[in-house]
Amino acid sequence: MTTRLGFGLPQMRQYSLGTDVPDVARAAEQIGYDSLWVFERALFPEPATQGLYNVPGLPWPDEYRSVAEPLVTLILAAAVTERVRLGSSVLVAPLHNPFQLARSLATLDAASGGRVLAGFGTGWSLDEYAAAGIRPFEQRGKVLDELIDVCRAVWGPDPVHYDGQLTKIASAVVGPKPARPIPILLAASNRKALTRLVDRADGWLPVGLGAEQLAAQWRAVQDLAAERGRTEPLQTVLRVNATYTPKAYDGSDRRPFQGSADQIVEDLVAHAAVGLEEILIDLAATPRDAQELKDVGAEVYEKARAAGV
């Protein structure tokens, strides 16, 4: 079966959000992409008190200096599209009030005709947790668990009841309801997060860092699902953060999804062979403007399909 392909929306500062997000969303749907995606980066600490991904000394990329709010970006895309699904990879869920986030996602799903995919993660930035003020970083797992519970309660039948640490709903009608049960997908790599994924989520959101590594991760997820008695299939959406350049990279030091369109597609072929359902191709960081992003997106899509992805 052909792998579904998703496309990352333009959220960085080189884009004019009010015009470029709708423009790129329409174009991606017309090209043939199956879904549109956003990510979350709430702030850019200066000077940085923590390395990127919590790796000491690893600098934050310049494109993180301004990243548009993800749900607002999806709303702009939803208003001008009809078919593509609308996903987050990922919302840093513990930065959000659970009740308000559940209502926002339900409203977006109702308005878009049932196209939302709720991708959640716990993040890593201490500065973002301090700014959001929901709970300390050390409690991020507990907040994510409660947020999942609140979403399922708010999206379910009325009257809604919930009694948690952050959210207390005695008995209430909460609407609008989503057009259908919104799938919850989780980013997960360690044992604790993978257990939450297998026990509580509808799908998995890995990141493409190499086909062999991805295959090993997928086997581990499947083994854990079997160990814990899960019989329902997991949806899978692989995020690839692609760095496009007009010319091919030379040498053996090229990272996955870095280089020309042909090199990016070569890596897509290898990762698609692992057997995941969908690949999100995020090309938005390096193009100079929306036109270049659309052109590169069309080239990668056409070559990927020609290569059998």
Side-chain angles (χ1 to χ4, degrees), residues 182-264:
I182 300 174
I184 293 177
L185 292 77
L186 297 180
S189 55
N190 62 50
R191 173 80 183 195
K192 187 173 183 179
L194 288 172
T195 300
R196 178 186 292 114
L197 163 72
V198 166
D199 289 351
R200 311 205 58 208
D202 300 295
W204 180 44
L205 295 169
V207 177
L209 300 174
E212 291 184 4
Q213 180 177 341
L214 176 66
Q217 289 178 320
W218 182 221
R219 286 193 298 270
V221 171
Q222 293 172 307
D223 289 345
L224 183 59
E227 175 188 324
R228 300 187 66 82
R230 179 179 179 127
T231 57
E232 182 182 359
L234 278 165
Q235 299 179 40
T236 51
V237 182
L238 171 69
R239 164 178 272 278
V240 298
N241 298 311
T243 302
Y244 169 79
T245 59
K247 296 181 179 180
Y249 270 81
D250 296 324
S252 60
D253 60 344
R254 184 179 72 89
R255 300 189 304 273
F257 305 106
Q258 178 185 41
S260 66
D262 288 329
Q263 288 177 322
I264 291 171

Side-chain angles (χ1 to χ4, degrees), residues 16-39:
S16 177
L17 298 171
T19 55
D20 288 349
V21 171
D23 184 31
V24 170
R26 277 190 298 260
E29 185 171 65
Q30 292 167 359
I31 289 167
Y33 282 99
D34 299 286
S35 54
L36 299 172
W37 295 81
V38 292
F39 73 101

Side-chain angles (χ1 to χ4, degrees), residues 137-218:
F137 180 76
E138 294 74 19
Q139 298 179 23
R140 61 195 182 280
K142 292 182 179 179
V143 176
L144 177 56
D145 284 333
E146 178 162 326
L147 190 142
I148 293 172
D149 288 338
V150 171
C151 283
R152 295 254 163 83
V154 167
W155 299 342
D158 294 321
V160 175
H161 304 266
Y162 188 80
D163 185 11
Q165 290 187 338
L166 291 169
T167 309
K168 297 185 183 296
I169 309 170
S171 179
V173 175
V174 183
K177 300 295 184 185
R180 91 295 191 222
I182 300 174
I184 293 177
L185 292 77
L186 297 180
S189 55
N190 62 50
R191 173 80 183 195
K192 187 173 183 179
L194 288 172
T195 300
R196 178 186 292 114
L197 163 72
V198 166
D199 289 351
R200 311 205 58 208
D202 300 295
W204 180 44
L205 295 169
V207 177
L209 300 174
E212 291 184 4
Q213 180 177 341
L214 176 66
Q217 289 178 320
W218 182 221

